[in-house]
Amino acid sequence: AMEVGGGKGSEEGKSKFLLINESDGSDNEIEKAPLLKGKSGKSGKEVREINDAVLVPSPTQLWSIRALWFFLGATNPFPGVALRFYMVNDLGASPHLQALIGVLSGFAWNLKMPVAFASDVIPVGGYRRKPYLYFGLAIYMFSFMGLAVFPPGYGTATVFMSLSTLGQMMAGVMCDTLIVENMRHESAATRGKLQTECWILMTLAGIGGTLAGGFVFAAPSMTNSRVFMINALIKLLVVPFAFMLVENPIPPPIAGTPAESALSTASRRGTEMWEALKQASVWQPTLFIFLFSIFPNPGTAMTNFFIEDLGFGEEELSYIAVVASVSGALGMGIYYRYFKEYNWHWFFATVIILSAGLSLTQLLLVLHVNRRWGVPDLAFALGDDAIVDVTCSLLAMPILILIASICPAGVESSLYAFVTSVQVAGGTVGGTISAGLIEGFGITLHNYDRLWQLVLLCALAKLLVLPFIPMLPTNLNNIEVGEKSWKGAALISVLLVGGICWALGQASYKLARES
């Protein structure tokens, strides 16, 4: 668990924190400094009991986590425009070479599970989260400094962009884990509050980061290399909040007892994770999340339609992106404020049906009905996108909260990364299905005659997930462990491995085709 001192505490100035013992629910104040150093003077059994207790994070800890998410959200998209200019102007890369570099540099996202598991079983200096967060930030900053300093080249670009993805992924995995660990301290009335706020902050901060990344080129003599160096340096804004996090260290071994080896720790954590996956409260929601993610969407075709048919430029697309981000944040806030206590089965069924119906409004834009009504294309696209994104966020937020809630102590990082990786695997399969449908309907950059059929099919396909809603708990306060099933755990493990293999296969296919 993560904890931080809540104030000055005693007359001696010793920092205190609140400890709630899970066995009896009693509140006790104990001195933090001896425990953090592993020299409390207590027996080994007492030390283990203290470290197994729930350590309540202070407001400073929680605000540090929020600030961490905010600044990561603001800085991650900042170099986006410069990277596009770098690929075209500095490298002179053709579209197929850009695709190749993109495939290779994005491979690091498939390493979420190994990184998460490493943080669970291989502490660094006695700590499991903060060192990996520091490593991720350092790798990210080093990679952009490399892009800024070294002459442009295909190999150089691929290496440093791959490292930047690795660093961003490591920092992101640790930020996810911080939320999961601190959600244990939330009451039933505030469950999901921290996660909702962090996602809203990151989403809104991303708007500022994206806009700043474009406006920075208005400065005199601004170049891509200078933007890369600025991006490396502004990541330092994250560092103070990372240092403010206080993590409870791994307790030292009991006197006379040999320290547990990394291999035995990995075996123990792996067994714990497998036992967690066998619980119906884990594998059934995970299977629902996978099924929910595989259904196709017309996203790529609609974007091309905006550009080629409606004539939208980067400015119009930027407006749509901003509206999408704001609408997403609004949907997250609406869910937490008004719907988090609702029965999830009824809530998901209602929102899915509503989302399917609202998705059909895209037909009005595709068939140009809005023009007959006198509504400009951009205005209709913005309004339609806002409605669709609000409903999508209403579905996404409870799923994110559910994923964090089903992670048991000890393997939080691994299990959260596992479930989100299953979700990504489902999205990868869904993307492939979408691409196949686009090709099957004969939709190209200049032919959108059957786009309306794709929109209709994708909207109706959302309804296919309705029979699987009973896999979800009725609400967060009614998550039952249920009977264990190794078949369920094996099924979602196969889905994860299959999804990763699918993604690698797709990447290899693209590499071979583009080469």
Side-chain angles (χ1 to χ4, degrees), residues 180-418:
V180 175
E181 291 179 333
N182 283 276
M183 275 184 64
R184 296 201 203 100
H185 317 305
E186 295 177 331
S187 65
T190 62
R191 182 73 59 84
K193 182 175 185 290
L194 177 64
Q195 190 171 27
T196 302
E197 291 174 345
C198 286
W199 275 96
I200 291 175
L201 287 170
M202 181 174 239
T203 301
L204 295 179
I207 299 173
T210 301
L211 295 176
F215 289 141
V216 72
F217 283 96
S221 304
M222 185 57 62
T223 64
N224 295 325
S225 295
R226 291 179 179 178
V227 173
F228 294 152
M229 185 59 72
I230 292 173
N231 183 56
L233 295 177
I234 63 174
K235 214 66 172 182
L236 293 173
L237 293 173
V238 180
V239 174
F241 301 102
F243 275 109
M244 289 173 66
L245 298 169
V246 177
E247 180 178 0
N248 190 40
I250 304 298
I254 303 172
T257 304
E260 187 177 27
S261 67
L263 183 61
S264 61
T265 302
S267 176
R268 177 169 57 84
R269 292 300 189 191
T271 301
E272 291 173 358
M273 186 172 175
W274 178 250
E275 291 299 317
L277 289 175
K278 286 162 58 177
Q279 297 176 10
S281 60
V282 175
W283 74 262
Q284 288 186 357
T286 304
L287 180 57
F288 175 86
I289 290 168
F290 177 84
L291 295 173
F292 186 77
S293 303
I294 66 173
F295 291 108
N297 67 81
T300 303
M302 284 300 296
T303 300
N304 291 335
F305 175 75
F306 288 158
I307 297 172
E308 300 295 334
D309 191 275
L310 301 184
F312 288 178
E314 287 201 15
E315 184 177 354
E316 288 82 3
L317 294 178
S318 297
Y319 293 151
I320 292 175
V322 169
V323 169
S325 297
V326 173
S327 301
L330 180 63
M332 295 175 191
I334 289 175
Y335 167 76
Y336 183 79
R337 178 67 177 84
Y338 298 104
F339 297 113
K340 68 185 179 75
E341 301 297 335
Y342 275 54
N343 181 293
W344 273 15
H345 291 178
W346 287 106
F347 176 78
F348 269 80
T350 301
V351 177
I352 287 172
I353 294 172
L354 183 64
S355 175
L358 292 175
S359 296
L360 293 175
T361 59
Q362 293 178 323
L363 292 173
L364 302 176
L365 190 63
V366 171
L367 299 174
H368 302 300
V369 174
N370 62 292
R371 294 178 180 176
R372 295 200 292 270
W373 293 349
V375 180
D377 291 336
L378 179 60
F380 192 90
L382 291 173
D384 175 72
D385 205 59
I387 294 172
V388 172
D389 281 306
V390 167
T391 56
C392 288
S393 294
L394 287 173
L395 292 172
M397 201 64 242
I399 286 177
L400 289 169
I401 295 174
L402 172 64
I403 294 174
S405 300
I406 62 179
C407 295
V411 289
E412 309 94 333
S413 186
S414 298
L415 191 58
Y416 191 89
F418 182 96

Side-chain angles (χ1 to χ4, degrees), residues 66-103:
R66 294 185 183 100
L68 194 63
W69 275 70
F70 178 83
F71 283 106
L72 284 175
T75 55
N76 284 344
F78 176 78
V81 174
L83 283 171
R84 288 198 294 271
F85 287 156
Y86 177 80
M87 297 282 280
V88 175
N89 299 330
D90 294 353
L91 289 181
S94 62
H96 80 274
L97 279 176
Q98 294 182 40
L100 287 175
I101 295 174
V103 168

Side-chain angles (χ1 to χ4, degrees), residues 128-179:
R128 296 192 299 163
R129 311 304 182 201
K130 290 177 66 174
Y132 288 90
L133 176 61
Y134 299 153
F135 291 158
L137 293 175
I139 292 172
Y140 184 91
M141 289 188 286
F142 167 78
S143 65
F144 273 95
M145 287 181 180
L147 284 173
V149 173
F150 285 85
Y154 296 139
T156 302
T158 303
V159 169
F160 285 122
M161 290 173 68
S162 298
L163 286 174
S164 71
T165 304
L166 176 64
Q168 185 176 341
M169 179 272 296
M170 290 181 66
V173 168
M174 293 305 106
C175 286
D176 287 336
T177 305
L178 288 173
I179 285 184

Side-chain angles (χ1 to χ4, degrees), residues 7-17 29-32:
K8 295 285 184 181
S10 64
E11 295 177 357
E12 292 80 16
K14 294 181 179 178
S15 184
K16 305 278 186 179
F17 65 88
E29 279 195 334
I30 61 177
E31 294 181 1
K32 179 179 69 173

